[in-house]
Coordinates of all heavy atoms in Angstrom, one line a residue:
S1 N -3.0 9.5 -10.4 CA -4.5 9.2 -10.7 C -5.3 9.9 -9.7 O -5.0 10.1 -8.5 CB -4.7 7.7 -10.6 OG -6.1 7.5 -10.5
H2 N -6.5 10.4 -10.1 CA -7.4 11.2 -9.2 C -8.6 10.4 -8.9 O -9.7 10.9 -8.7 CB -7.7 12.5 -9.9 CG -6.6 13.5 -9.8 ND1 -6.8 14.8 -9.6 CD2 -5.3 13.3 -9.7 CE1 -5.6 15.4 -9.5 NE2 -4.7 14.5 -9.6
E3 N -8.5 9.0 -8.9 CA -9.6 8.2 -8.3 C -9.8 8.8 -6.9 O -8.9 9.2 -6.2 CB -9.1 6.8 -8.3 CG -8.9 6.1 -9.6 CD -10.1 6.1 -10.5 OE1 -11.2 5.8 -10.0 OE2 -10.0 6.3 -11.7
E4 N -11.1 8.7 -6.5 CA -11.4 9.3 -5.2 C -10.6 8.6 -4.1 O -10.1 9.3 -3.2 CB -12.9 9.1 -4.9 CG -13.4 9.8 -3.7 CD -14.9 9.7 -3.5 OE1 -15.5 8.9 -4.1 OE2 -15.3 10.4 -2.6
Y5 N -10.5 7.3 -4.1 CA -9.7 6.6 -3.1 C -8.4 6.1 -3.6 O -8.4 5.6 -4.8 CB -10.6 5.5 -2.5 CG -11.6 6.0 -1.5 CD1 -12.9 6.2 -2.0 CD2 -11.3 6.3 -0.2 CE1 -13.9 6.7 -1.2 CE2 -12.3 6.8 0.6 CZ -13.6 7.0 0.2 OH -14.5 7.5 1.0
Q6 N -7.4 6.1 -2.8 CA -6.1 5.5 -3.1 C -5.7 4.7 -1.9 O -6.2 4.7 -0.8 CB -5.1 6.6 -3.4 CG -5.3 7.4 -4.7 CD -5.0 6.6 -5.9 OE1 -4.2 5.7 -5.9 NE2 -5.6 6.9 -7.0
W7 N -4.6 3.9 -2.2 CA -4.0 3.0 -1.1 C -2.7 3.6 -0.7 O -1.9 4.1 -1.5 CB -3.9 1.6 -1.6 CG -5.3 1.0 -1.7 CD1 -6.2 1.1 -2.7 CD2 -5.9 0.2 -0.7 NE1 -7.3 0.4 -2.4 CE2 -7.2 -0.2 -1.1 CE3 -5.4 -0.3 0.6 CZ2 -8.0 -1.0 -0.4 CZ3 -6.3 -1.1 1.3 CH2 -7.6 -1.4 0.8
F8 N -2.4 3.4 0.6 CA -1.2 4.0 1.2 C -0.5 3.0 2.1 O -1.2 2.2 2.7 CB -1.5 5.3 2.0 CG -2.2 6.3 1.2 CD1 -3.6 6.3 1.1 CD2 -1.5 7.4 0.7 CE1 -4.2 7.3 0.3 CE2 -2.1 8.4 0.0 CZ -3.5 8.4 -0.2
Y9 N 0.8 3.0 2.2 CA 1.6 2.2 3.1 C 2.4 3.1 4.0 O 2.8 4.2 3.6 CB 2.4 1.1 2.4 CG 3.5 1.7 1.5 CD1 4.8 1.9 1.9 CD2 3.2 2.0 0.2 CE1 5.8 2.4 1.1 CE2 4.1 2.5 -0.7 CZ 5.4 2.7 -0.2 OH 6.3 3.2 -1.1
E10 N 2.7 2.6 5.2 CA 3.3 3.5 6.2 C 4.8 3.6 6.0 O 5.5 2.6 5.8 CB 3.0 2.9 7.6 CG 3.3 3.9 8.7 CD 2.8 3.4 10.0 OE1 2.9 2.1 10.3 OE2 2.2 4.1 10.8
G11 N 5.3 4.8 6.1 CA 6.8 5.1 6.2 C 7.1 5.7 7.6 O 6.3 5.6 8.5
R12 N 8.3 6.2 7.7 CA 8.6 6.9 9.0 C 7.8 8.2 9.0 O 8.0 9.0 8.0 CB 10.1 7.2 9.0 CG 10.9 6.0 9.5 CD 12.4 6.3 9.3 NE 12.8 6.4 7.9 CZ 14.0 6.7 7.5 NH1 15.0 6.9 8.4 NH2 14.3 6.8 6.2
N13 N 7.1 8.4 10.0 CA 6.2 9.6 10.2 C 5.6 10.1 8.9 O 5.7 11.2 8.4 CB 6.9 10.8 10.9 CG 8.3 11.0 10.4 OD1 8.5 11.3 9.2 ND2 9.3 11.0 11.3
G14 N 4.8 9.2 8.3 CA 4.0 9.6 7.1 C 3.6 8.4 6.3 O 4.1 7.3 6.5
W15 N 2.8 8.7 5.3 CA 2.3 7.6 4.4 C 2.8 7.8 3.0 O 2.8 9.0 2.5 CB 0.7 7.7 4.4 CG 0.2 7.3 5.8 CD1 -0.1 8.1 6.8 CD2 -0.2 6.0 6.2 NE1 -0.6 7.4 7.9 CE2 -0.7 6.1 7.5 CE3 -0.2 4.7 5.6 CZ2 -1.2 5.0 8.2 CZ3 -0.7 3.7 6.3 CH2 -1.2 3.8 7.6
W16 N 3.1 6.7 2.3 CA 3.4 6.7 0.9 C 2.2 6.2 0.2 O 1.6 5.2 0.6 CB 4.6 5.8 0.7 CG 5.9 6.2 1.3 CD1 6.4 5.8 2.4 CD2 6.8 7.2 0.7 NE1 7.6 6.4 2.6 CE2 7.9 7.3 1.6 CE3 6.8 7.9 -0.5 CZ2 9.0 8.1 1.3 CZ3 7.9 8.7 -0.7 CH2 9.0 8.8 0.1
Q17 N 1.9 6.8 -1.0 CA 0.9 6.2 -1.8 C 1.5 5.1 -2.6 O 2.6 5.2 -3.1 CB 0.4 7.3 -2.8 CG -0.9 6.9 -3.6 CD -1.4 8.1 -4.4 OE1 -1.6 9.2 -3.9 NE2 -1.5 7.9 -5.7
Y18 N 0.7 4.0 -2.8 CA 1.2 2.9 -3.7 C 1.3 3.4 -5.1 O 0.5 4.3 -5.5 CB 0.2 1.7 -3.6 CG 0.3 0.8 -2.4 CD1 -0.3 1.1 -1.2 CD2 1.1 -0.3 -2.5 CE1 -0.3 0.2 -0.2 CE2 1.2 -1.2 -1.5 CZ 0.5 -0.9 -0.3 OH 0.6 -1.8 0.8
D19 N 2.1 2.8 -5.9 CA 2.2 3.1 -7.3 C 0.8 2.7 -7.9 O 0.0 1.9 -7.3 CB 3.3 2.3 -8.0 CG 3.0 0.8 -8.1 OD1 2.3 0.4 -9.0 OD2 3.4 0.1 -7.2
Q20 N 0.5 3.3 -9.1 CA -0.8 3.3 -9.6 C -1.3 1.8 -9.9 O -2.4 1.4 -9.6 CB -0.9 4.1 -10.9 CG -2.3 4.4 -11.4 CD -2.3 5.3 -12.6 OE1 -1.5 6.2 -12.7 NE2 -3.2 5.0 -13.5
R21 N -0.4 1.0 -10.4 CA -0.7 -0.4 -10.8 C -1.1 -1.1 -9.5 O -2.1 -1.8 -9.5 CB 0.4 -1.1 -11.5 CG 0.2 -2.6 -11.7 CD 1.5 -3.3 -12.3 NE 2.6 -3.2 -11.5 CZ 2.9 -4.0 -10.4 NH1 2.1 -4.9 -10.1 NH2 4.0 -3.8 -9.7
T22 N -0.3 -1.0 -8.5 CA -0.5 -1.8 -7.2 C -1.8 -1.3 -6.5 O -2.5 -2.1 -6.0 CB 0.7 -1.7 -6.3 OG1 1.9 -2.0 -7.1 CG2 0.6 -2.6 -5.1
S23 N -2.0 0.1 -6.6 CA -3.2 0.6 -5.9 C -4.4 0.1 -6.6 O -5.4 -0.2 -5.9 CB -3.1 2.2 -6.0 OG -4.0 2.7 -5.2
L24 N -4.4 -0.1 -7.9 CA -5.5 -0.6 -8.7 C -5.7 -2.1 -8.3 O -6.9 -2.5 -8.2 CB -5.3 -0.4 -10.2 CG -6.5 -0.9 -11.1 CD1 -7.8 -0.2 -10.7 CD2 -6.1 -0.6 -12.5
E25 N -4.6 -2.8 -8.2 CA -4.8 -4.2 -7.8 C -5.4 -4.4 -6.4 O -6.3 -5.2 -6.2 CB -3.4 -4.9 -7.8 CG -2.8 -5.2 -9.1 CD -1.4 -5.8 -9.1 OE1 -0.9 -6.0 -8.0 OE2 -0.9 -5.9 -10.2
L26 N -5.0 -3.5 -5.5 CA -5.5 -3.5 -4.1 C -7.0 -3.1 -4.2 O -7.9 -3.8 -3.5 CB -4.8 -2.5 -3.2 CG -3.4 -2.9 -2.8 CD1 -2.6 -1.8 -2.3 CD2 -3.5 -4.0 -1.7
E27 N -7.4 -2.1 -4.9 CA -8.7 -1.6 -5.0 C -9.7 -2.7 -5.6 O -10.8 -2.9 -5.1 CB -8.8 -0.3 -5.8 CG -10.2 0.3 -5.8 CD -10.6 0.9 -4.4 OE1 -9.8 0.9 -3.5 OE2 -11.7 1.4 -4.4
T28 N -9.2 -3.4 -6.6 CA -10.0 -4.4 -7.2 C -10.2 -5.6 -6.3 O -11.4 -6.0 -6.1 CB -9.2 -4.9 -8.5 OG1 -9.1 -3.8 -9.4 CG2 -10.1 -6.0 -9.2
A29 N -9.2 -6.0 -5.6 CA -9.3 -7.1 -4.6 C -10.2 -6.7 -3.5 O -11.1 -7.5 -3.0 CB -8.0 -7.6 -4.1
Y30 N -10.0 -5.5 -3.0 CA -10.8 -5.0 -1.9 C -12.3 -5.0 -2.2 O -13.2 -5.4 -1.5 CB -10.3 -3.6 -1.5 CG -11.1 -2.9 -0.5 CD1 -10.9 -3.2 0.9 CD2 -12.0 -1.9 -0.8 CE1 -11.7 -2.5 1.9 CE2 -12.7 -1.2 0.2 CZ -12.6 -1.5 1.5 OH -13.3 -0.8 2.4
K31 N -12.6 -4.5 -3.4 CA -14.0 -4.3 -3.9 C -14.6 -5.7 -4.2 O -15.9 -5.9 -4.1 CB -14.1 -3.4 -5.1 CG -13.9 -2.0 -4.7 CD -14.4 -1.1 -5.8 CE -14.5 0.4 -5.4 NZ -14.1 1.3 -6.5
Q32 N -13.8 -6.7 -4.5 CA -14.3 -8.1 -4.7 C -14.5 -8.8 -3.4 O -15.0 -9.9 -3.3 CB -13.3 -8.9 -5.5 CG -13.3 -8.5 -7.0 CD -12.1 -9.1 -7.8 OE1 -11.2 -9.6 -7.2 NE2 -12.2 -9.1 -9.1
G33 N -14.2 -8.1 -2.2 CA -14.4 -8.7 -0.9 C -13.4 -9.7 -0.5 O -13.6 -10.5 0.4
K34 N -12.2 -9.7 -1.2 CA -11.2 -10.7 -0.9 C -10.6 -10.3 0.5 O -10.6 -9.2 0.9 CB -10.1 -10.6 -1.9 CG -10.6 -11.0 -3.3 CD -9.6 -11.8 -4.1 CE -10.3 -12.5 -5.3 NZ -9.7 -12.0 -6.6
R35 N -10.0 -11.3 1.2 CA -9.4 -11.1 2.5 C -8.0 -10.5 2.4 O -7.5 -9.9 3.3 CB -9.5 -12.3 3.4 CG -10.8 -12.6 4.0 CD -10.8 -13.8 4.9 NE -10.6 -15.0 4.2 CZ -10.7 -16.2 4.7 NH1 -10.9 -16.3 6.1 NH2 -10.6 -17.3 4.0
S36 N -7.4 -10.9 1.3 CA -6.0 -10.4 1.1 C -5.7 -10.4 -0.3 O -6.5 -10.8 -1.2 CB -5.0 -11.4 1.8 OG -5.1 -12.7 1.2
C37 N -4.5 -9.8 -0.6 CA -4.1 -9.6 -2.0 C -2.6 -9.8 -2.1 O -1.9 -9.3 -1.3 CB -4.5 -8.2 -2.4 SG -4.1 -7.7 -4.1
E38 N -2.1 -10.5 -3.1 CA -0.7 -10.7 -3.3 C -0.2 -9.6 -4.2 O -0.8 -9.3 -5.2 CB -0.4 -12.1 -3.9 CG 1.0 -12.6 -3.7 CD 1.1 -14.0 -3.9 OE1 1.2 -14.4 -5.1 OE2 1.2 -14.8 -3.0
L39 N 1.0 -9.0 -3.8 CA 1.5 -7.9 -4.5 C 3.0 -8.2 -4.9 O 3.7 -8.7 -4.1 CB 1.5 -6.6 -3.7 CG 0.2 -6.2 -3.1 CD1 0.4 -5.1 -2.1 CD2 -0.8 -5.8 -4.2
L40 N 3.4 -7.8 -6.1 CA 4.8 -7.9 -6.5 C 5.4 -6.5 -6.5 O 5.0 -5.7 -7.3 CB 4.9 -8.6 -7.8 CG 6.4 -8.8 -8.3 CD1 7.1 -9.7 -7.4 CD2 6.4 -9.4 -9.7
I41 N 6.3 -6.2 -5.5 CA 6.8 -4.9 -5.4 C 8.3 -5.0 -5.4 O 9.0 -5.6 -4.5 CB 6.4 -4.3 -4.0 CG1 4.8 -4.1 -4.0 CG2 7.1 -3.0 -3.7 CD1 4.2 -3.9 -2.7
A42 N 8.9 -4.4 -6.4 CA 10.4 -4.3 -6.6 C 11.0 -5.7 -6.4 O 12.0 -5.9 -5.8 CB 11.0 -3.4 -5.6
G43 N 10.3 -6.7 -7.1 CA 10.9 -8.1 -7.1 C 10.6 -8.9 -5.9 O 10.9 -10.1 -5.9
F44 N 9.9 -8.4 -4.9 CA 9.5 -9.1 -3.7 C 8.0 -9.3 -3.7 O 7.2 -8.4 -4.0 CB 9.9 -8.4 -2.4 CG 11.4 -8.4 -2.2 CD1 12.2 -7.3 -2.6 CD2 12.1 -9.5 -1.7 CE1 13.5 -7.3 -2.4 CE2 13.5 -9.5 -1.5 CZ 14.2 -8.4 -1.9
L45 N 7.6 -10.5 -3.2 CA 6.1 -10.8 -3.0 C 5.7 -10.3 -1.6 O 6.4 -10.6 -0.6 CB 5.8 -12.3 -3.2 CG 5.7 -12.8 -4.6 CD1 5.7 -14.3 -4.6 CD2 4.5 -12.2 -5.3
Y46 N 4.6 -9.6 -1.6 CA 4.0 -9.1 -0.3 C 2.6 -9.6 -0.3 O 2.0 -9.8 -1.3 CB 4.1 -7.6 -0.2 CG 5.4 -7.0 0.0 CD1 6.3 -6.7 -1.1 CD2 5.9 -6.6 1.2 CE1 7.5 -6.2 -0.9 CE2 7.1 -6.0 1.5 CZ 7.9 -5.8 0.4 OH 9.2 -5.3 0.6
I47 N 2.1 -9.7 0.9 CA 0.6 -9.9 1.1 C 0.1 -8.7 1.7 O 0.6 -8.2 2.7 CB 0.4 -11.1 2.1 CG1 1.2 -12.4 1.7 CG2 -1.1 -11.4 2.2 CD1 0.7 -13.1 0.5
A48 N -1.0 -8.2 1.2 CA -1.8 -7.1 1.8 C -3.0 -7.8 2.5 O -3.8 -8.5 1.8 CB -2.3 -6.1 0.8
D49 N -3.1 -7.7 3.8 CA -4.2 -8.3 4.5 C -5.3 -7.3 4.9 O -4.9 -6.3 5.6 CB -3.6 -9.0 5.8 CG -4.6 -9.7 6.6 OD1 -5.8 -9.3 6.7 OD2 -4.3 -10.8 7.1
F50 N -6.5 -7.4 4.4 CA -7.5 -6.4 4.5 C -8.1 -6.4 5.9 O -8.8 -5.5 6.3 CB -8.5 -6.5 3.4 CG -8.0 -6.2 2.1 CD1 -8.3 -7.1 1.0 CD2 -7.2 -5.1 1.8 CE1 -7.8 -6.9 -0.3 CE2 -6.7 -4.9 0.5 CZ -7.0 -5.8 -0.5
S51 N -8.0 -7.5 6.7 CA -8.6 -7.5 8.0 C -7.7 -6.8 9.0 O -8.2 -6.1 9.8 CB -9.0 -8.9 8.4 OG -7.9 -9.8 8.3
S52 N -6.4 -7.1 8.9 CA -5.5 -6.4 9.8 C -5.0 -5.1 9.3 O -4.5 -4.2 10.0 CB -4.3 -7.3 10.1 OG -3.6 -7.6 9.0
M53 N -5.1 -4.9 8.0 CA -4.6 -3.7 7.2 C -3.1 -3.5 7.4 O -2.6 -2.5 7.9 CB -5.4 -2.4 7.6 CG -6.8 -2.4 7.1 SD -6.9 -2.5 5.3 CE -6.9 -0.8 4.9
F54 N -2.4 -4.6 7.1 CA -0.9 -4.7 7.0 C -0.5 -5.2 5.7 O -1.2 -6.0 5.1 CB -0.3 -5.6 8.1 CG -0.2 -5.0 9.5 CD1 -1.1 -5.4 10.5 CD2 0.7 -4.1 9.8 CE1 -1.0 -4.9 11.8 CE2 0.8 -3.5 11.1 CZ -0.1 -4.0 12.1
Q55 N 0.6 -4.8 5.2 CA 1.3 -5.6 4.2 C 2.5 -6.2 4.8 O 3.2 -5.7 5.7 CB 1.8 -4.7 3.0 CG 2.9 -3.7 3.3 CD 3.6 -3.2 2.1 OE1 3.0 -2.8 1.1 NE2 5.0 -3.3 2.1
L56 N 2.7 -7.5 4.4 CA 3.8 -8.3 4.9 C 4.6 -8.8 3.8 O 4.0 -9.3 2.8 CB 3.4 -9.4 5.8 CG 2.3 -9.2 6.8 CD1 1.0 -9.7 6.3 CD2 2.7 -10.0 8.1
R57 N 5.9 -8.9 3.9 CA 6.7 -9.6 2.9 C 6.4 -11.1 3.1 O 6.5 -11.6 4.2 CB 8.2 -9.3 3.0 CG 8.9 -9.5 1.7 CD 10.4 -9.3 1.8 NE 10.8 -7.9 1.7 CZ 12.1 -7.5 1.5 NH1 13.0 -8.5 1.5 NH2 12.4 -6.3 1.4
R58 N 6.1 -11.7 2.0 CA 5.6 -13.1 2.1 C 6.6 -14.1 2.7 O 6.2 -14.9 3.5 CB 5.2 -13.6 0.7 CG 4.1 -14.7 0.8 CD 3.6 -15.2 -0.5 NE 4.7 -15.9 -1.2 CZ 4.5 -16.6 -2.3 NH1 3.3 -16.7 -2.8 NH2 5.5 -17.2 -2.9
N59 N 7.9 -13.9 2.5 CA 8.9 -14.8 3.0 C 9.6 -14.2 4.3 O 10.6 -14.8 4.7 CB 10.0 -15.2 2.0 CG 10.8 -14.0 1.5 OD1 10.7 -12.9 2.1 ND2 11.7 -14.2 0.6
D60 N 9.1 -13.1 4.8 CA 9.6 -12.5 6.0 C 8.6 -11.6 6.7 O 8.5 -10.4 6.4 CB 10.9 -11.7 5.6 CG 11.5 -11.0 6.9 OD1 11.0 -11.1 8.0 OD2 12.6 -10.4 6.7
H61 N 7.8 -12.2 7.5 CA 6.6 -11.5 8.1 C 7.0 -10.4 9.1 O 6.2 -9.7 9.5 CB 5.6 -12.5 8.7 CG 4.8 -13.3 7.7 ND1 3.7 -13.9 8.0 CD2 5.0 -13.5 6.4 CE1 3.2 -14.5 6.9 NE2 4.0 -14.3 5.9
S62 N 8.3 -10.4 9.4 CA 8.8 -9.3 10.3 C 8.8 -8.0 9.5 O 8.8 -6.9 10.1 CB 10.1 -9.6 10.9 OG 11.1 -9.5 9.9
R63 N 8.8 -8.1 8.2 CA 8.7 -6.9 7.3 C 7.3 -6.5 7.1 O 6.6 -7.1 6.2 CB 9.5 -7.1 6.0 CG 10.9 -7.2 6.2 CD 11.7 -7.4 4.9 NE 13.1 -7.5 5.1 CZ 13.9 -6.4 5.0 NH1 13.4 -5.2 4.8 NH2 15.2 -6.5 5.2
R64 N 6.7 -5.7 8.0 CA 5.3 -5.5 8.1 C 5.1 -4.0 8.2 O 5.8 -3.3 8.9 CB 4.8 -6.2 9.4 CG 3.6 -5.8 10.0 CD 3.4 -6.4 11.3 NE 3.5 -7.8 11.3 CZ 2.5 -8.6 11.6 NH1 1.4 -8.2 12.0 NH2 2.7 -9.9 11.5
R65 N 4.1 -3.5 7.4 CA 3.8 -2.1 7.4 C 2.3 -1.9 7.5 O 1.6 -2.7 6.8 CB 4.2 -1.4 6.1 CG 5.7 -1.3 6.0 CD 6.1 -0.8 4.6 NE 7.5 -0.9 4.4 CZ 8.3 0.1 4.7 NH1 7.8 1.3 5.0 NH2 9.6 0.0 4.5
R66 N 1.8 -0.9 8.2 CA 0.4 -0.6 8.1 C 0.0 -0.1 6.7 O 0.9 0.5 6.1 CB 0.0 0.5 9.2 CG 0.1 0.0 10.6 CD -0.8 0.8 11.5 NE -0.3 2.2 11.6 CZ -1.1 3.2 11.9 NH1 -2.4 3.1 12.1 NH2 -0.6 4.4 11.9
I67 N -1.2 -0.4 6.3 CA -1.7 0.2 5.1 C -3.0 0.9 5.3 O -3.7 0.6 6.4 CB -1.9 -0.9 4.0 CG1 -2.9 -2.0 4.4 CG2 -0.5 -1.5 3.6 CD1 -3.2 -3.0 3.2
K68 N -3.4 1.7 4.4 CA -4.8 2.3 4.6 C -5.3 2.7 3.2 O -4.6 2.9 2.2 CB -4.7 3.6 5.5 CG -4.0 4.7 4.9 CD -4.2 6.0 5.7 CE -3.4 7.2 5.1 NZ -3.8 8.5 5.7
R69 N -6.6 2.7 3.1 CA -7.4 3.2 2.0 C -7.9 4.5 2.4 O -8.6 4.6 3.4 CB -8.5 2.2 1.6 CG -9.3 2.6 0.4 CD -10.4 1.5 0.2 NE -11.2 1.7 -1.0 CZ -12.4 2.3 -1.0 NH1 -12.9 2.8 0.1 NH2 -13.0 2.5 -2.1
D70 N -7.6 5.6 1.6 CA -8.0 6.9 2.1 C -8.2 7.8 0.8 O -7.9 7.4 -0.3 CB -6.9 7.5 3.0 CG -7.5 8.5 4.0 OD1 -8.6 9.0 3.8 OD2 -6.8 8.8 5.0
L71 N -8.8 9.0 1.0 CA -9.0 9.9 0.0 C -7.7 10.2 -0.7 O -6.6 10.3 -0.1 CB -9.7 11.2 0.5 CG -11.1 10.9 1.0 CD1 -11.6 12.2 1.7 CD2 -12.0 10.6 -0.1
Y72 N -7.7 10.4 -2.0 CA -6.5 10.5 -2.8 C -5.7 11.8 -2.4 O -4.5 11.9 -2.5 CB -6.8 10.6 -4.3 CG -7.3 11.9 -4.8 CD1 -6.4 12.8 -5.3 CD2 -8.6 12.2 -4.8 CE1 -6.8 14.1 -5.8 CE2 -9.1 13.4 -5.2 CZ -8.2 14.4 -5.7 OH -8.6 15.6 -6.2
N73 N -6.4 12.8 -1.8 CA -5.8 14.1 -1.5 C -5.3 14.3 -0.1 O -5.0 15.4 0.3 CB -6.7 15.2 -2.0 CG -8.0 15.2 -1.3 OD1 -8.4 14.3 -0.6 ND2 -8.8 16.3 -1.4
V74 N -5.3 13.2 0.7 CA -4.8 13.3 2.1 C -3.3 13.5 2.0 O -2.6 13.2 1.0 CB -5.1 12.1 3.0 CG1 -6.6 11.9 3.2 CG2 -4.5 10.8 2.4
P75 N -2.7 14.1 3.1 CA -1.2 14.3 3.1 C -0.4 13.0 2.9 O -0.8 12.0 3.4 CB -0.9 14.9 4.5 CG -2.2 15.5 5.0 CD -3.3 14.6 4.3
K76 N 0.6 13.1 2.1 CA 1.5 11.9 1.9 C 2.9 12.4 1.6 O 3.1 13.5 1.3 CB 0.9 11.1 0.7 CG 0.9 11.9 -0.6 CD 0.3 11.1 -1.8 CE 0.2 12.0 -3.0 NZ -1.0 11.7 -3.8
K77 N 3.8 11.4 1.8 CA 5.2 11.7 1.6 C 5.6 11.7 0.1 O 6.5 12.4 -0.3 CB 6.1 10.7 2.3 CG 5.9 10.6 3.8 CD 6.9 9.6 4.5 CE 8.3 10.3 4.6 NZ 9.2 9.5 5.5
G78 N 4.8 10.9 -0.7 CA 5.1 10.8 -2.1 C 4.4 9.5 -2.6 O 3.5 9.0 -1.9
V79 N 4.9 9.0 -3.7 CA 4.3 7.8 -4.3 C 5.4 6.8 -4.5 O 6.5 7.1 -5.1 CB 3.7 8.2 -5.7 CG1 3.1 6.9 -6.3 CG2 2.7 9.3 -5.6
A80 N 5.2 5.6 -3.8 CA 6.1 4.5 -4.0 C 7.6 4.9 -3.8 O 8.5 4.4 -4.6 CB 5.9 3.8 -5.4
G81 N 7.9 5.7 -2.8 CA 9.3 6.1 -2.5 C 9.8 7.3 -3.2 O 10.9 7.7 -3.0
L82 N 9.0 7.8 -4.1 CA 9.4 9.0 -4.9 C 8.7 10.2 -4.1 O 7.5 10.4 -4.1 CB 8.9 8.9 -6.3 CG 9.5 9.9 -7.3 CD1 11.0 9.7 -7.5 CD2 8.8 9.7 -8.7
R83 N 9.6 11.0 -3.5 CA 9.1 12.2 -2.7 C 8.4 13.2 -3.5 O 8.8 13.5 -4.6 CB 10.2 12.8 -1.9 CG 10.7 12.0 -0.8 CD 11.8 12.7 0.0 NE 12.1 12.0 1.2 CZ 11.4 12.1 2.3 NH1 10.3 12.9 2.4 NH2 11.7 11.4 3.4
L84 N 7.3 13.8 -2.9 CA 6.7 15.0 -3.5 C 7.6 16.2 -3.3 O 8.4 16.2 -2.4 CB 5.4 15.3 -2.8 CG 4.2 14.3 -2.9 CD1 3.1 14.7 -2.0 CD2 3.8 14.3 -4.4
N85 N 7.5 17.2 -4.2 CA 8.2 18.4 -4.2 C 9.8 18.3 -4.3 O 10.4 17.6 -4.9 CB 7.9 19.4 -3.1 CG 8.4 18.9 -1.7 OD1 9.6 18.6 -1.6 ND2 7.5 18.8 -0.8
Ligands
V3L1 N1 5.8 0.2 -2.5 C1 7.0 0.6 -2.8 N2 8.1 0.3 -2.1 C2 7.9 -0.5 -1.0 C3 6.6 -0.9 -0.6 C4 5.5 -0.6 -1.4 N3 4.3 -1.0 -1.1 N4 6.7 -1.7 0.6 C5 8.0 -1.6 0.9 N5 8.7 -0.9 0.0 P1 10.0 -3.7 3.8 P2 10.6 6.3 4.9 C6 9.9 2.5 1.6 C7 10.2 -0.7 0.0 O1 8.7 -3.3 4.3 O2 11.8 7.3 4.9 C8 9.5 3.8 1.0 O3 8.9 3.6 -0.3 C9 10.5 0.2 1.1 O4 10.4 1.6 0.7 O5 11.0 -3.9 5.0 O6 10.8 5.2 6.0 C10 10.8 4.5 0.9 O7 11.4 4.3 -0.4 C11 11.9 -0.2 1.6 O8 12.9 0.5 0.9 O9 10.0 -4.9 3.0 O10 9.3 6.9 5.0 C12 11.6 3.9 2.0 O11 10.9 2.8 2.6 C13 12.0 -1.7 1.1 O12 10.9 -1.9 0.2 C14 11.9 4.9 3.1 O13 10.7 5.5 3.5 C15 11.9 -2.7 2.2 O14 10.6 -2.5 2.9

C-alpha cells in the first residue's frame, strides 16, 4: 500500500513493515487517540503501546520490539518477515 505513513517493527539491524491489515489497525487506533492497540499476529496476541512505542506479546512481555510510524518509502527489510528483493 502507498499510504503516506506505514507502521514498522524492529528486526535485527533494520525495520519490517507490518502487514497491510495490521498496519491499518494500528493507524486507525493511533488516529483515534487510543493509548494502545491489540494485534493478532500469527496466532499470538500482542499489544502495541503508543506511548512507549513498543509491541509486546500479551502473555510474555519479554517479547518486546520497538515500533515506529514512518513514511512508507523509508528503508525496510521487507513486509511481515517477507524480505524485499
Ligand atoms: N509481524 C509479523 N511477524 C512478527 C511480528 C509482526 N508485527 N512481531 C513478531 N513477529 P517475538 P530479523 C520477525 C514474528 O517478538 O532477522 C520478522 O518478521 C517474528 O518475526 O519474540 O530479526 C522475521 O520474520 C518472530 O519470528 O514475539 O530481522 C523474523 O523476526 C516471531 O514472531 C527475523 O527477523 C517471534 O517474535
Side-chain angles (χ1 to χ4, degrees):
S1 164
H2 285 214
E3 298 297 321
E4 186 178 11
Y5 285 97
Q6 288 289 333
W7 286 84
F8 301 86
Y9 60 95
E10 194 170 41
R12 280 172 294 178
N13 47 54
W15 294 88
W16 294 97
Q17 191 176 305
Y18 279 87
D19 71 86
Q20 194 174 323
R21 172 185 61 81
T22 308
S23 196
L24 182 58
E25 287 175 2
L26 285 163
E27 187 69 5
T28 301
Y30 175 80
K31 286 196 170 145
Q32 287 172 343
K34 301 218 165 116
R35 279 185 290 187
S36 65
C37 176
E38 200 165 77
L39 306 172
L40 184 60
I41 296 164
F44 291 98
L45 280 170
Y46 289 84
I47 310 288
D49 184 319
F50 296 131
S51 51
S52 61
M53 291 298 272
F54 280 106
Q55 71 160 47
L56 313 100
R57 204 185 274 193
R58 207 178 66 169
N59 66 3
D60 180 357
H61 286 197
S62 72
R63 292 181 176 270
R64 161 190 302 244
R65 293 169 185 269
R66 290 204 296 154
I67 64 174
K68 66 171 183 172
R69 179 179 186 264
D70 207 343
L71 293 170
Y72 80 93
N73 59 351
V74 296
K76 63 186 175 215
K77 300 186 78 166
V79 180
L82 196 62
R83 284 183 171 278
L84 292 174
N85 71 54

